[in-house]
Amino acid sequence: DTAVSQTPKYLVTQMGNDKSIKCEQNLGHDTMYWYKQDSKKFLKIMFSYNNKELIINETVPNRFSPKSPDKAHLNLHINSLELGDSAVYFCASSQGSWDGYTFGSGTRLTVV
Amino acid sequence: DAKTTQPTSMDCAEGRAANLPCNHSTISGNEYVYWYRQIHSQGPQYIIHGLKNNETNEMASLIITEDRKSSTLILPHATLRDTAVYYCIATLNTDKLIFGTGTRLQVFP
């Protein structure tokens, strides 16, 4: 039973399109995150949500809009995709205290 | 978050202990030390964390020096599946883990 699941695993799309990545966690965690890992393998936080409320937005372009319909889901919608958006996007969750994060397996987005 | 410094890469023979060092000389009194790893093409995986005392779990041991300026992650019997990038993070803010470049551990047969 997957703890943090992301769909799709791979996404290839053209510049200018709008796409969404879905994330669901079945761990009962209060906090969820989106991280981006670029081609140089740097992992950077994008957003953090606690109980459906945005708590961190790391100067991500407005084209990226996270949505949390409930505390088990955190989806990422991206408008007007650009070549530079190509990366692996990881969703994660935590109990929000000092416990570790549980990451999903990632979504590899390729913009052509 | 305190800056952490790790070697870029390390090798370890299968079955031997892998000792991964991390320097965090500017760590503050309340900052925890976290270790994660990322196996190729997978999401990062939480390993262990600690504040002052040494910690051990089913995956690894964490040794933190008395002055807390450095720590060592120990994988007691490394296997080929332990080949990964290992990240050391010193932080007070668990709302936002900041990953550095990590240590690429290669376990060889």
Side-chain angles (χ1 to χ4, degrees):
Chain A
D1 212 19
T2 306
V4 179
S5 59
Q6 299 179 224
T7 53
K9 188 169 175 66
Y10 299 96
L11 185 53
V12 181
T13 187
Q14 291 188 327
M15 278 174 46
N17 284 351
D18 303 338
K19 291 292 179 185
S20 292
I21 306 172
K22 295 185 176 180
C23 179
E24 175 181 5
Q25 55 98 359
N26 63 4
L27 298 167
H29 288 168
D30 290 331
T31 309
M32 295 186 72
Y33 313 82
W34 277 109
Y35 275 77
K36 177 181 179 181
Q37 189 166 39
D38 60 23
S39 57
K40 294 185 178 178
K41 304 297 185 184
F42 289 117
L43 260 169
K44 292 184 181 177
I45 188 165
M46 300 173 69
F47 301 103
S48 169
Y49 267 72
N50 183 274
N51 265 318
K52 303 192 298 176
E53 294 202 13
L54 178 69
I55 55 175
I56 288 177
N57 178 341
E58 285 291 302
T59 60
V60 177
N62 291 337
R63 299 182 296 103
F64 290 79
S65 53
K67 287 190 171 48
S68 183
D70 55 60
K71 76 171 195 176
H73 295 84
L74 180 61
N75 304 322
L76 184 65
H77 188 76
I78 315 170
N79 289 327
S80 303
L81 278 154
E82 302 177 356
L83 294 177
D85 298 331
S86 295
V88 182
Y89 292 84
F90 290 102
C91 177
S93 72
S94 76
Q95 192 46 37
S97 60
W98 300 108
D99 294 333
Y101 290 16
T102 301
F103 281 81
S105 57
T107 295
R108 181 174 295 278
L109 171 65
T110 304
V111 182
V112 296
Chain B
D1 292 359
K3 179 177 165 55
T4 59
T5 304
Q6 300 177 250
T8 304
S9 63
M10 294 182 65
D11 289 339
C12 179
E14 191 176 19
R16 306 296 285 267
N19 297 301
L20 292 92
C22 179
N23 181 288
H24 31 78
S25 57
T26 61
I27 196 169
S28 67
N30 296 328
E31 286 182 312
Y32 280 72
V33 178
Y34 282 82
W35 283 84
Y36 283 77
R37 73 180 182 183
Q38 187 173 22
I39 296 169
H40 181 62
S41 297
Q42 296 182 23
Q45 178 188 23
Y46 166 77
I47 301 173
I48 199 168
H49 74 280
L51 181 62
K52 294 181 182 177
N53 300 322
N54 298 338
E55 303 287 344
T56 295
N57 63 21
E58 63 279 3
M59 288 183 68
S61 294
L62 174 60
I63 309 298
I64 303 175
T65 58
E66 197 169 336
D67 63 9
R68 303 208 327 119
K69 292 185 176 182
S70 66
S71 61
T72 301
L73 179 75
I74 302 172
L75 308 178
H77 305 286
T79 71
L80 297 178
R81 288 179 296 179
D82 292 321
T83 292
V85 177
Y86 287 77
Y87 298 97
C88 168
I89 303 167
T91 185
L92 182 62
N93 182 4
T94 56
D95 288 338
K96 186 173 77 171
L97 288 181
I98 298 175
F99 290 80
T101 54
T103 295
R104 182 171 297 278
L105 175 69
Q106 179 69 54
V107 180
F108 56 91

